[in-house]
Amino acid sequence: MRVPSLPRPLAGAARAVKGGAAPTGSVSRRHKTLRWRLTQFYTALLAALLITVAVTTLVIMRNNLITGVNRDLGDAYGRLAQLLPSLNLSSANPESLDATGNSISLRYQFPNYAIQIERLTFYDLPLLTDRLTQAVNPDERQSLFDDLNFLRGQARNFSGIDRKKPITLPDAQLAELISSPDGQLLIDQDVQEVYPDRPTPMRVLVRLAPLSLQQSPLGLPGSNDTLTIVYVGRSLDDIQHTLADLRNVIVLLFLAGLITAGVGAYLLAGRALRPLGLVQRAAEGIGGQNLTERVPEPETGDEVQALAGALNSMLGRLEDSFEAQRRFTSDASHELRTPVTAISGHASYLLRRTSPSGQQQESLKIIRSESERLTNLIASLLQLARSDSGALVMARDPILSGLFLAEIARELMPLAQAQNSRLPVAGQEVTFEGDPDRLKQVIINLVSNALKAGARTITLSSQPEEDGTEVRLSVTDDGPGIPTDQLDRLFDRFYRLEDSRSRDVGGAGLGLSIARGIVEAHGGRIWLESEEGKGTAAHVQLPVGDVPILDEEDVP
């Protein structure tokens, strides 16, 4: 019994513009989306800003802390200069030194400082400055520095410093100290204290000035002054710990701010680009079959709305252009059909009712043959025009793939035998929904192409896809094959292979275009696979559709 036709399901969304452009999703997998690029840009911008703020904060904080230390060292030196006369450091009194050789009184008065005092006996500041100025050659300068280093090493007092590892000044720094207008230097140096095993980083104030190391017996100020180099150092550990803690806090805030900014930028970019995504998805669904549709125009008042309006204007112009092209093709085909039919009819009449000579008879046969070829071309153009306009009506009937292919093979068997070719049918029996007449036209076109190519074995097969929702009909031949660079172009209208024989058998290069239109109208796709010298395989993949379950008595 005949199974009634079933209503056509909504099989898939309409494809993009005819020709099957690659989906835009593949582009987004190869390249970063605008959303990600915006997120990365704003995150990188914020990171640069935070790094700038962090570095500036650390520099300012360090400078402020160092300035405070410098001020404290100056104050400590002032107090030391006032206390020195009462400490009598110039007298060699062993009882004033502890077991490490450090001054007990200095350690008691300045417990948080490292102090080193060097006496430059027999020198005063003007004499020292003049001698440095007059030492114009390296030997004279070296002689001066040797004398100073000898004096410095002979008379030293310490507080909180290992006597075996005193603070030293290179000759260059010593010359800078002597030439300094205020007679002082501020240096950073690792100082070996008495008890710690490792040197301590310190900020050291070095001061060259005459000082009273003991009380004057006459009570006159400055009468007992000695030129000294005084080192007053303070540990930088507290500052370094403070800066390290500040760095850790800044790093944590940097990471937290960066993550928060990245997530926020990603969400905001997605919200801002959401209307653009709607426009994109709508544009992807518009093709040659539904040019009357338009993309939504979001009421955002920005560039996205302007872009949607421009796209709709472009679609309107494309629709007018396509409509004009279809109308011209349809009108021209209708107008050409009548004169071509008349030409063919008159040529047939002359061949039947008159007695033309041999040459005249040959010419009349050529006229009739070319008229028939032109008639077929006009019919193909009309079918393409209907397909483009969406007027190609498809029936929806259950089809048994094996029986369907076997029937086509029986119809084409005489043509295949005339060329010494075989048409075996293979594969599984699959029930699917489609228009038998239109799909038959597709398969016949594929078999005819294989016969024109000189194939000796053309196999028709069918098999279900893995998910069971689609069926694949294949036409495989052992012909000469098709160059890889021409496979995609074979579905273009009026395109034929350079060595094609179709011109000799009346082909116009429209068969595969018509076949593709029919297959896409079914919601399927068609493609070719070929290797030169080994043959060609044409595949038609169609949705199974809403087919009924057939009983044994339903199958003929």
Side-chain angles (χ1 to χ4, degrees):
M1 63 181 252
R2 177 179 175 82
V3 180
S5 300
L6 301 175
R8 177 183 181 180
L10 297 176
R15 292 190 177 270
V17 178
K18 301 236 356 139
T24 57
S26 61
V27 177
S28 63
R29 287 192 294 269
R30 291 193 299 267
H31 304 286
K32 294 180 180 178
T33 62
L34 179 59
R35 184 179 187 180
W36 273 112
R37 292 202 298 272
L38 287 174
T39 301
Q40 291 176 346
F41 172 77
Y42 287 116
T43 304
L45 186 63
L46 179 64
L49 179 62
L50 290 177
I51 290 174
T52 303
V53 172
V55 172
T56 304
T57 302
L58 287 173
V59 170
I60 294 176
M61 179 62 72
R62 185 182 186 280
N63 290 339
N64 289 337
L65 292 174
I66 293 297
T67 301
V69 171
N70 294 341
R71 189 182 302 111
D72 180 67
L73 291 175
D75 294 341
Y77 175 82
R79 289 187 282 114
L80 176 65
Q82 293 177 358
L83 289 174
L84 279 177
S86 62
L87 297 178
N88 291 321
L89 296 179
S90 61
S91 61
N93 183 10
E95 296 180 358
S96 65
L97 303 179
D98 61 13
T100 64
N102 279 234
S103 172
I104 298 175
S105 57
L106 280 178
R107 194 64 175 169
Y108 176 77
Q109 295 292 338
F110 300 94
N112 298 323
Y113 299 90
I115 297 176
Q116 177 178 313
I117 302 174
E118 300 173 346
R119 293 186 294 276
L120 301 180
T121 311
F122 311 118
Y123 276 101
D124 59 16
L125 189 57
L127 176 62
L128 185 60
T129 305
D130 291 341
R131 187 174 176 185
L132 178 65
T133 305
Q134 294 172 1
V136 294
N137 59 64
D139 293 337
E140 293 178 350
R141 293 175 68 90
Q142 188 61 48
S143 175
L144 172 63
F145 293 142
D146 290 342
D147 292 344
L148 293 176
N149 290 331
F150 175 78
L151 292 175
R152 291 165 58 201
Q154 292 299 316
R156 283 175 175 163
N157 295 94
F158 299 93
S159 174
I161 299 176
D162 189 348
R163 293 179 59 88
K164 297 179 180 180
K165 296 180 180 180
I167 302 174
T168 59
L169 282 182
D171 292 346
Q173 287 186 346
L174 185 57
E176 184 181 355
L177 175 64
I178 297 172
S179 304
S180 175
D182 55 358
Q184 72 176 27
L185 289 179
L186 285 166
I187 60 175
D188 292 330
Q189 192 173 101
D190 291 337
V191 177
Q192 182 64 54
E193 296 185 274
V194 176
Y195 298 108
D197 296 332
R198 61 180 181 83
T200 302
M202 287 191 178
R203 184 75 168 174
V204 180
L205 170 65
V206 185
R207 189 72 180 265
L208 174 65
L211 292 177
S212 296
L213 301 180
Q214 59 185 359
Q215 294 180 353
S216 172
L218 301 177
L220 298 176
S223 61
N224 199 27
D225 288 351
T226 303
L227 186 62
T228 59
I229 299 178
V230 179
Y231 304 82
V232 180
R234 176 178 164 181
S235 173
L236 295 177
D237 284 340
D238 292 342
I239 294 178
Q240 291 181 349
H241 290 324
T242 301
L243 293 177
D245 292 341
L246 181 60
R247 279 195 299 269
N248 293 334
V249 171
I250 289 176
V251 168
L252 291 177
L253 292 177
F254 174 81
L255 294 177
L258 209 60
I259 294 173
T260 303
V263 174
Y266 183 79
L267 296 176
L268 289 177
R271 183 179 182 86
L273 295 174
R274 187 177 303 157
L276 191 59
L278 297 175
V279 172
Q280 174 197 355
R281 288 188 291 273
E284 288 176 351
I286 299 176
Q289 302 289 346
N290 57 344
L291 278 175
T292 56
E293 296 185 9
R294 296 292 181 266
V295 299
E297 295 187 21
E299 298 295 333
T300 55
D302 55 12
E303 290 83 355
V304 177
Q305 183 177 0
L307 175 62
L311 284 176
N312 286 332
S313 299
M314 181 188 69
L315 288 173
R317 294 192 296 272
L318 285 175
E319 181 185 5
D320 295 340
S321 177
F322 272 58
E323 182 61 29
Q325 178 185 352
R326 286 194 294 262
R327 190 163 50 248
F328 171 78
T329 303
S330 179
D331 294 345
S333 300
H334 279 290
E335 294 298 327
L336 288 173
R337 177 178 292 180
T338 300
V340 169
T341 302
I343 292 172
S344 177
H346 282 288
S348 299
Y349 173 80
L350 292 175
L351 284 172
R352 293 195 310 269
R353 299 299 181 91
T354 62
S355 300
S357 62
Q359 185 63 39
Q360 292 173 342
Q361 187 175 8
E362 181 67 21
S363 297
L364 289 173
K365 288 181 179 179
I366 292 175
I367 292 174
R368 185 175 63 180
S369 175
E370 292 301 317
S371 298
E372 292 174 353
R373 178 180 176 184
L374 190 53
T375 300
N376 293 332
L377 176 59
I378 292 171
S380 298
L381 289 174
L382 279 173
Q383 187 167 356
L384 284 174
R386 294 192 188 100
S387 177
D388 291 341
S389 63
L392 195 62
V393 180
M394 296 292 170
R396 292 293 175 176
D397 294 324
I399 300 174
L400 298 174
S401 61
L403 294 177
F404 175 69
L405 296 178
E407 180 182 353
I408 295 175
R410 282 195 301 270
E411 290 185 12
L412 297 178
M413 187 61 69
L415 182 60
Q417 290 176 349
Q419 298 186 15
N420 296 322
S421 300
R422 298 172 52 249
L423 285 176
V425 178
Q428 303 180 35
E429 186 75 79
V430 181
T431 304
F432 66 98
E433 192 180 47
D435 189 325
D437 295 331
R438 300 291 187 184
L439 294 177
K440 183 177 181 180
Q441 181 181 354
V442 172
I443 302 300
I444 289 177
N445 179 273
L446 297 176
V447 174
S448 299
N449 289 340
L451 290 174
K452 292 173 186 177
R456 289 292 173 260
T457 301
I458 304 171
T459 304
L460 310 182
S461 61
S462 65
Q463 61 181 5
E465 292 299 319
E466 293 183 358
D467 57 3
T469 61
E470 293 181 317
V471 60
R472 180 182 297 185
L473 307 179
S474 302
V475 177
T476 308
D477 65 61
D478 58 356
I482 302 171
T484 304
D485 59 345
Q486 298 191 50
L487 283 176
D488 293 336
R489 298 190 60 191
L490 285 176
F491 291 96
D492 295 344
R493 297 177 185 182
F494 298 105
Y495 180 81
R496 292 177 290 187
L497 294 175
E498 295 178 359
D499 58 348
S500 175
R501 306 177 187 177
S502 59
R503 292 178 176 85
D504 301 331
V505 292
L510 294 175
L512 288 178
S513 297
I514 295 174
R516 184 177 63 183
I518 293 173
V519 172
E520 290 182 349
H522 280 80
R525 64 188 185 98
I526 181 172
W527 73 97
L528 299 176
E529 296 175 355
S530 183
E531 185 175 352
E532 290 189 80
K534 294 187 178 180
T536 302
H539 302 289
V540 176
Q541 189 163 309
L542 302 166
V544 170
D546 189 11
V547 295
I549 300 177
L550 302 180
D551 298 327
E552 293 183 358
E553 60 270 17
D554 296 326
V555 181

